[in-house]
Amino acid sequence: MLGAARGIISLSSSRIFSRNILSKPPSFFTISRALAPSIPRFSVRSMADSAFKKVQIQRDDTAFDAYVVGKEDAPGIVVLQEWWGVDFEIKNHALKISQLSPGFKALIPDLYRGKVGLDVAEAQHLMDGLDWQGAVKDICASVDWLKANGSKKAGVTGFCMGGALSIASSVLVPQVDAVVAFYGVPSPELADPAQAKAPVQAHFGELDNFVGFSDVTAAKALEEKLKESKTPYEVHIYPGNAHAFMNRSPDGIKRRKGMGMADEDEAAVCLAWSRFESWMARFLS
């Protein structure tokens, strides 16, 4: 399937969705606040913590911490955080990625410089304060670090906020060799996906209600933009799944349920990881 077509749109549904051009999406996170004003606070140490090596990466006149796991000479993948920060779930994802075939080295740059949101209000505050252009520079420096430390090729992936930044990196970071984004699209002020230079695979939940950022309309608009880019792309939409459906740790599930996202679809998660693995192996090997 991957080699047969330049662009793929996957949706097990006969419904027709509108294709409005994306508008600036910051208001999508206010939906989360409305959904879960009292979501429980989480302070969970990832079971994967001991597997990571902490490194420091220099860019411009500043430096930031990053966490790396995987074989030294493996293809590299920068793994970008959700709006929570570098917490247990993003480390679980990075560890999973490092164990996929044929083997990857996963690197998590700390975009929040050590801060982690323990509830929706804190996560909202941290994301609102993010320097998005600076985050793109962090991604660029992270890709350079991977290529200077044993990885001949390097991709970028991310979830939610990190998903949007992943797509932005396909436009703004020429060193990136492949991108896989989960439920997030950058604002047009940050990056135009029609200008993507690296192959992009994107994943969305059919029931995602974060309008303009990761709902089905945003996914379809992204697909239209990627058609213009002339780069390989796939857009996959998972029926019956909401935002953040890849978060499958016990604490991640608890947090999602607290935000009204109660679906549990292991088959969709397995399918998404399989597609991720095939895409990154195709373009990074």
Side-chain angles (χ1 to χ4, degrees):
M1 178 180 69
L2 290 175
R6 184 179 62 82
I8 297 175
I9 181 74
S10 169
L11 174 61
S12 299
S13 171
S14 60
R15 280 176 284 172
I16 304 300
F17 299 94
S18 64
R19 298 189 174 187
N20 297 328
I21 298 301
L22 296 183
S23 57
K24 192 173 181 180
S27 61
F28 109 89
F29 283 104
T30 62
I31 300 172
S32 299
R33 185 185 292 138
L35 284 173
S38 59
I39 184 173
R41 294 170 65 86
F42 285 81
S43 182
V44 180
R45 181 178 175 84
S46 172
M47 295 297 290
D49 277 352
S50 61
F52 287 84
K53 179 175 72 173
K54 186 177 179 180
V55 299
Q56 197 164 70
I57 297 176
Q58 188 74 32
R59 64 108 167 149
D60 298 334
D61 58 350
T62 187
F64 58 91
D65 291 335
Y67 302 87
V68 63
V69 62
K71 297 188 298 183
E72 284 298 316
D73 60 349
I77 298 179
V78 178
V79 183
L80 301 174
Q81 66 202 48
E82 297 175 290
W83 69 330
W84 306 105
V86 179
D87 68 350
F88 61 94
E89 200 69 86
I90 202 66
K91 288 185 176 179
N92 290 339
H93 289 326
L95 184 60
K96 169 76 173 180
I97 288 166
S98 74
Q99 297 168 344
L100 295 174
S101 179
F104 298 101
K105 181 162 62 175
L107 175 78
I108 309 170
D110 190 345
L111 304 181
Y112 286 168
R113 304 299 192 263
K115 297 177 181 178
V116 176
L118 299 181
D119 59 28
V120 167
E122 288 179 357
Q124 171 86 49
H125 177 73
L126 288 168
M127 196 209 67
D128 285 347
L130 180 67
D131 174 5
W132 289 75
Q133 296 291 344
V136 171
K137 291 180 179 180
D138 286 356
I139 297 166
C140 183
S142 297
V143 171
D144 287 344
W145 187 93
L146 284 167
K147 291 190 174 184
N149 287 271
S151 298
K152 293 180 181 179
K153 291 187 177 183
V156 177
T157 190
F159 303 79
C160 186
M161 182 184 84
L165 283 166
S166 297
I167 294 172
S169 76
S170 75
V171 178
L172 302 172
V173 183
Q175 307 94 302
V176 173
D177 295 299
V179 164
V180 177
F182 291 90
Y183 29 80
V185 176
S187 70
E189 291 84 358
L190 179 63
D192 179 3
Q195 302 301 315
K197 301 170 185 66
V200 175
Q201 183 185 78
H203 303 263
F204 298 89
E206 182 192 26
L207 303 182
D208 195 321
N209 60 359
F210 295 151
V211 177
F213 181 81
S214 54
D215 65 332
V216 169
T217 299
K220 298 288 284 186
L222 172 66
E223 192 250 350
E224 291 299 301
K225 286 285 188 177
L226 291 173
K227 282 182 182 178
E228 300 176 34
S229 73
K230 309 304 181 185
T231 193
Y233 70 88
E234 294 180 1
V235 176
H236 298 288
I237 300 173
Y238 296 80
N241 283 268
H243 190 77
F245 66 89
M246 296 296 288
N247 293 350
R248 303 306 304 146
S249 72
D251 290 294
I253 292 171
K254 183 178 179 182
R255 184 161 65 186
R256 291 180 70 255
K257 287 184 176 180
M259 295 177 70
M261 305 169 189
D263 58 281
E264 297 184 22
D265 188 348
E266 294 293 348
V269 173
C270 290
L271 179 58
W273 278 125
S274 175
R275 287 167 168 165
F276 175 102
E277 183 178 57
S278 296
W279 192 257
M280 289 302 196
R282 176 185 175 189
F283 292 105
L284 301 186
S285 296

